[in-house]
């Protein structure tokens, strides 16, 4: 924050462009209780688990509703997308209750730095933390597009899905050879935006001064990133109800976990080097929000249409427009068939191109009113039965006259 303010006032063109064209939200600490505990102990006396949990004992990163399992169960029953959405999946009502509990059925879990070190048992069901409720309300209030939660204890970027899909719920696929990695790990399930998530993860890792230097291995075990500094969460540390999965399936936001370094609480003398290691990565990552397409969806009178659905061909995950009818969709370079749809309007389709240079392509839509709402009303009045067409010159039957009077 201090860097952005200073560079902006000093006239840094890159920072000025970023600050002027981007709404940047910063949360210094999602878990201030845990931070205070870790700060008091310091880097010398602290351990991997200290400061990971809240004062009430919650692991906030895994305290969100498990929407991925709900989506996969609906896919198994072939309810997606006609009866169950592939985006903006609603939060279950029982989760929003004051005495709600979370039970993901994954056994006892815990870990340092919201990472992969199981040092303290925390068995479900457990309650929904007040911090979790606050973050969910914050996500619903703001139309976020790109997000990152910064953690420690490792040096890599993790992207969704974090949830491991049960083998019985995996889509049918062609048989693989026994030495195929996917055959040994049938629980891995990629998001429809897998290629985009990898682009975002690589944009951070490749700009980091040391994150891709994996020849030394990982911070504590072997390298899990195939020498790239990035990994899918379910491959590295499967867990249900993560903030990343929730953000992807409940909002428009693509969120990743960035593990800044091996030391969870580096000494004061090391902070400057840690900042240098991550500075360029942070700037590059934030700039990716301007990659893809953006635009406004309006009616023929120019009024914005909120909650219109933006569908990108070939990507089975849609987004919605904000209250002002505006939208942003991060996409890799390429040509896409994009459509905008809204209740009571005819859909509109156009081709939008995304280029390698930073700068989203403008792709606006104007929707015309549809007659389907009135047609459905007439069908409902007729008991949703087919309406017989009246042939000129043919006398009406008594029943047809009665139905015509009822409609009038």
């Amino acid at each position: 924050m201090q860097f952005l303010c200073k560079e902006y006032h000093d006239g840094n063109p890159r920072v000025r462009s970023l600050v002027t064209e981007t709404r940047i939200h910063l949360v210094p600490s999602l878990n201030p209780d845990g931070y205070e505990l870790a700060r008091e102990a310091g880097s010398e006396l602290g351990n991997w688990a200290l400061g990971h949990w809240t004062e009430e004992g919650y692991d906030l990163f895994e305290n969100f509703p498990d929407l991925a399992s709900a989506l996969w169960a609906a896919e198994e029953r072939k309810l997606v997308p006609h009866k169950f959405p592939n985006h903006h999946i609603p939060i279950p009502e029982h989760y929003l209750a004051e005495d709600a509990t979370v039970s993901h059925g994954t056994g006892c879990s815990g870990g340092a730095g919201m990472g992969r070190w199981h040092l303290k048992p925390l068995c479900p069901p457990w309650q929904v933390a007040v911090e979790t409720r606050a973050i969910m309300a914050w996500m619903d209030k703001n139309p976020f597009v790109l997000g990152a939660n910064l953690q420690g204890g490792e040096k890599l970027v993790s992207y969704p899905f974090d949830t491991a899909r049960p083998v019985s719920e995996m889509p049918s696929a062609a048989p693989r050879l026994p030495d195929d990695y996917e055959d040994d790990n049938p629980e891995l399930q990629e998001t429809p935006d897998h290629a985009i998530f990898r682009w975002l993860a690589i944009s951070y890792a490749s700009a980091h001064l040391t994150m891709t230097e994996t020849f030394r291995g990982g911070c504590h075990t072997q390298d899990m990133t195939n020498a790239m500094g990035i990994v899918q969460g379910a491959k590295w540390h499967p867990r249900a109800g993560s903030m990343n999965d929730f953000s992807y399936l409940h909002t428009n936001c693509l969120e990743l976990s960035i593990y800044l370094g091996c030391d969870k609480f580096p000494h004061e003398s090391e902070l400057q080097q840690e900042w240098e290691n991550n500075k360029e990565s942070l700037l590059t990552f934030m700039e990716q929000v301007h990659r893809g397409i953006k635009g406004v969806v309006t009616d023929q009178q120019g009024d914005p249409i909120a909650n219109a659905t933006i569908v990108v061909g070939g990507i089975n995950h849609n987004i919605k427009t904000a209250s002002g009818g505006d939208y942003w969709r991060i996409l890799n370079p390429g040509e896409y068939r994009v459509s905008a749809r809204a209740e009571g309007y005819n859909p509109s389709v156009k081709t939008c191109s995304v280029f390698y240079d930073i700068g989203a392509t403008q792709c606006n839509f104007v929707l015309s009113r549809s007659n389907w709402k009135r047609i459905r009303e007439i069908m409902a009045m007729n008991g949703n039965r087919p309406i017989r067409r009246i042939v000129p010159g043919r006398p009406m039957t008594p029943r047809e006259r009665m139905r015509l009077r009822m409609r009038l």
Side-chain angles (χ1 to χ4, degrees):
M1 184 184 301
Q2 292 176 346
F3 172 82
L4 292 177
C5 291
K6 179 181 182 301
E7 293 299 309
Y8 181 90
H9 288 296
D10 289 347
N12 184 323
R14 183 184 185 188
V15 173
R16 274 187 170 270
S17 175
L18 184 63
V19 172
T20 303
E21 300 177 9
T22 315
R23 290 183 61 188
I24 303 173
H25 294 246
L26 301 175
V27 180
S29 177
L30 184 61
N31 180 14
D33 298 339
Y35 175 80
E36 285 301 316
L37 289 174
R39 186 184 65 82
E40 291 174 3
S43 59
E44 290 83 4
L45 300 179
N47 58 52
W48 293 110
L50 188 62
H52 178 64
W53 289 270
T54 66
E55 188 175 1
E56 292 80 15
Y58 299 126
D59 181 349
L60 296 179
F61 189 75
E62 302 178 28
N63 195 232
F64 291 80
D66 178 15
L67 302 182
S69 295
L71 173 64
W72 295 334
E75 287 179 348
E76 282 285 295
R77 299 169 61 189
K78 302 188 184 303
L79 300 178
V80 181
H82 305 293
K83 295 184 178 180
F84 194 95
N86 65 11
H87 64 104
H88 287 81
I89 299 174
I91 301 173
E93 292 185 5
H94 69 270
Y95 189 92
L96 298 175
E98 288 298 325
D99 57 346
T101 58
V102 183
S103 181
H104 299 311
T106 56
C108 299
S109 68
M114 303 181 188
R116 61 196 304 274
W117 305 105
H118 293 245
L119 301 176
K120 178 181 177 182
L122 187 63
C123 300
W126 61 89
Q127 290 187 326
V128 181
V130 63
E131 294 92 343
T132 306
R133 295 180 186 274
I135 286 294
M136 290 194 300
W138 185 53
M139 289 179 173
D140 284 333
K141 182 180 178 181
N142 297 280
F144 293 122
V145 181
L146 178 63
N149 48 84
L150 308 181
Q151 305 186 39
E154 262 297 350
K155 192 162 54 176
L156 53 81
V157 180
S158 171
Y159 54 89
F161 282 121
D162 292 319
T163 309
R165 185 170 187 171
V167 178
S168 61
E169 296 181 7
M170 292 292 290
S172 57
R176 293 185 174 93
L177 297 175
D179 59 347
D180 193 329
Y181 177 82
E182 295 293 337
D183 187 74
D184 294 334
N185 297 269
E187 74 279 4
L188 289 181
Q189 174 70 20
E190 297 177 353
T191 69
D193 286 290
H194 184 74
I196 300 168
F197 272 119
R198 284 181 59 86
W199 177 293
L200 295 171
I202 289 173
S203 74
Y204 192 98
S206 61
H208 192 280
L209 295 187
T210 62
M211 190 170 285
T212 56
E213 294 180 359
T214 57
F215 54 86
R216 300 185 183 90
C219 291
H220 311 287
T221 59
Q222 73 277 15
D223 173 40
M224 297 292 296
T225 71
N226 294 326
M228 296 185 68
I230 69 171
V231 66
Q232 182 182 341
K235 174 185 175 182
W236 176 45
H237 176 37
R239 55 254 184 107
S242 75
M243 183 161 60
N244 294 348
D245 287 1
F246 172 81
S247 180
Y248 180 64
L249 294 175
H250 181 68
T251 76
N252 288 345
C253 185
L254 305 182
E255 181 146 357
L256 299 82
S257 292
I258 298 175
Y259 293 80
L260 301 174
C262 298
D263 193 344
K264 274 182 57 62
F265 206 90
H267 192 273
E268 182 179 359
S269 61
E270 301 171 333
L271 292 180
Q272 183 60 38
Q273 184 58 52
E274 291 295 334
W275 164 244
E276 294 298 330
N277 289 344
N278 289 277
K279 179 177 64 176
E280 178 61 29
S281 295
L282 290 166
L283 292 173
T284 300
F285 182 81
M286 287 191 289
E287 289 170 338
Q288 302 309 305
V289 76
H290 297 289
R291 182 179 299 283
I293 60 175
K294 65 179 180 180
V296 180
V297 180
T298 61
D299 61 17
Q300 291 178 309
Q301 286 69 47
D303 296 325
I305 302 176
N307 292 318
T309 301
I310 303 298
V311 182
V312 178
I315 301 179
N316 190 29
H317 183 79
N318 308 330
I319 65 168
K320 288 189 175 183
T321 58
S323 58
D326 45 346
Y327 76 91
W328 307 263
R329 183 54 159 109
I330 299 178
L331 294 170
N332 285 342
E335 190 173 86
Y336 298 90
R337 194 70 171 163
V338 184
S339 66
R341 305 171 184 174
E343 183 71 22
Y345 295 88
N346 294 312
S348 176
V349 183
K350 61 174 57 177
T351 299
C352 305
S353 297
V354 178
F355 306 99
Y356 280 91
D357 294 336
I358 290 292
T361 301
Q362 194 79 24
C363 222
N364 298 328
F365 294 88
V366 178
L367 306 187
S368 60
R369 283 284 182 180
S370 168
N371 293 325
W372 277 109
K373 183 177 181 180
R374 180 57 180 160
I375 292 173
R376 281 195 291 266
E377 291 174 354
I378 295 174
M379 291 290 292
M381 293 170 60
N382 195 48
N384 289 323
R385 294 188 297 271
I387 300 176
R388 185 175 180 179
R389 186 169 66 91
I390 299 176
V391 180
R394 184 182 66 80
M396 297 176 64
T397 64
R399 178 175 294 182
E400 288 173 343
R401 291 196 197 95
M402 178 69 71
R403 288 176 178 169
L404 181 59
R405 285 196 215 99
M406 290 175 63
R407 287 199 293 270
L408 298 175

